Amino acid sequence: MKILSVVGARPQFVKLAPIAHAMAEAGVEHVIVHTGQHYDHAMSDSFFEELGIPAPDENLTVGSGTHGRQTGAMLAGMDEVLERHRPDGVLVYGDTNSTLAGTLSAVKMHVPLAHLEAGLRSFNRRMPEEHNRVLTDHAADLCLAPTEVAMAHLAAEGITDRAVLVGDVMTDVLHQVRDRVADLEPSLPVDTTQPYRVATLHRADNTDDEQQLRTILDNLASLDVPTLLLAHPRLRAKAAEFGLDLSAGSVVAADPLPYPQLVRAVMGSAGVITDSGGLQKEAFLLRVPCTTVRTETEWVETVELGWNVLVTDPATLARDVDRPQPAPTEATPYGDGHAATRVVQELQRWRERG
Ligand code: UD1
């Protein structure tokens, strides 16, 4: 069996890591296509190096652009790649523009398509990720869902016989990396012997509106303990454009960290403030309270279990962060850390069925 994975953005490299390892263990021929959506070392190569992922077989080097241009460039590049490799199936990950491009190219070229992290919904049609994941689920021949909630969303949209619950592969990676870095001293530009928090911001809704960004940064600056703000390139560019200082008050701005260092930083922190999907879940798995600067989340279990709070109005962010520690929980809504093995087994069954 030959499976072709299409990835392009930071969270997809994290998901690819356990899949690439499980494919190798199962003797599956695995072609990795990098669309080039993320290209800075800290946003791309660092993940391949730190997570032991084989170098991509193909790189479409599309770079940044408007949604249409970026997705279109990937789609154009994929025709040739699929013709060259002729895989038995294409595997797409998550909800980025790279996911949608991989989806459309597979469908157009009549290659069977599997979607990893199927069934997540924010029900916010303003988000490009919501279009990407809905379209992908409806185009896919196999929907690999991370949670019961995701399975229920797929069922509500009439996708039942193509859906299977496999668990969350990001949990696989997190468990492995957590154990690897537990004894390391964190090396961060904040005093890690004192309480600190970790923050990330990259969603257009937060970064591209001057007033929204100013309010969020003012709230972060006013917090009682230092906040290490790991700045995505888009955040840096927008702050510069609006003349906003990322390192005001208690905020210490720094570049994005390699994945193991990020996990270590979160493990040692008093809390996370983010608009990332993956980081909400990683904070929960590490039992670090999370405050999410979004009005909804796909990872509803983190909120229901009390470890994540959504900030509906950025003006209340500092107040929302300052709250009592949540009740301990043993719940494992994201699976047992062995999802990737199940994914590969399901892919094998699927292709055997033809
Ligand atoms: C993308 C995904 C988002 C995911 C995020 C993870 C889409 C629609 N969005 O958002 O779902 O959560 O990745 O990080 O696919 N840039 C660089 N260097 C890079 C990459 C980006 O400077 O290596 C800058 C460029 O100015 C670019 C901007 O960041 O225009 C946004 O990058 P893009 O890939 O379009 O979207 P993300 O915000 O990263």
Side-chain angles (χ1 to χ4, degrees), residues 8-11 36-44 63-65 67 70 74 95-99 128-129 132 202-204 232-235 237 275-277:
R10 208 161 42 162
Q37 177 171 353
H38 285 175
Y39 43 85
D40 289 351
H41 184 269
M43 304 282 287
S44 174
S64 305
H67 289 288
Q70 188 183 55
M74 294 173 195
D95 54 22
T96 73
N97 290 343
S98 298
T99 315
E129 291 81 4
N132 291 342
H202 75 279
R203 303 266 169 206
H232 183 288
R234 182 211 289 273
L235 173 62
D275 58 8
S276 148

Side-chain angles (χ1 to χ4, degrees), residues 96-125:
T96 73
N97 290 343
S98 298
T99 315
L100 183 61
T103 295
L104 294 175
S105 63
V107 168
K108 298 269 176 219
M109 300 281 282
H110 305 294
V111 182
L113 175 74
H115 182 206
L116 182 72
E117 214 177 67
L120 293 183
R121 296 289 180 267
S122 68
F123 301 102
N124 177 354
R125 288 289 185 131

Side-chain angles (χ1 to χ4, degrees), residues 207-208 213 231-244 246:
T207 58
D208 294 10
L213 184 57
H232 183 288
R234 182 211 289 273
L235 173 62
R236 282 212 188 272
K238 286 293 170 184
E241 185 185 324
F242 301 143
L244 300 172
L246 285 183

Side-chain angles (χ1 to χ4, degrees), residues 18-30 176 338 340-341 344 348:
I19 296 291
H21 296 145
M23 295 258 202
E25 246 168 54
V28 174
E29 195 179 343
H30 188 202
Q176 287 156 18
H338 299 288
T341 307
V344 174
Q348 284 171 320

Side-chain angles (χ1 to χ4, degrees), residues 200-283:
T200 75
L201 284 175
H202 75 279
R203 303 266 169 206
D205 276 356
N206 286 330
T207 58
D208 294 10
D209 180 290
E210 182 175 347
Q211 190 50 44
Q212 176 88 359
L213 184 57
R214 185 186 298 277
T215 308
I216 294 169
L217 292 176
D218 285 350
N219 271 258
L220 292 180
S222 74
L223 289 172
D224 53 343
V225 302
T227 298
L228 178 63
L229 175 59
L230 301 170
H232 183 288
R234 182 211 289 273
L235 173 62
R236 282 212 188 272
K238 286 293 170 184
E241 185 185 324
F242 301 143
L244 300 172
D245 181 7
L246 285 183
S247 284
S250 57
V251 180
V252 179
D255 288 334
L257 289 171
Y259 188 75
Q261 281 83 327
L262 171 73
V263 172
R264 184 66 192 87
V266 171
M267 280 169 83
S269 76
V272 162
I273 301 157
T274 191
D275 58 8
S276 148
L279 197 49
Q280 294 170 46
K281 199 175 34 172
E282 284 151 357

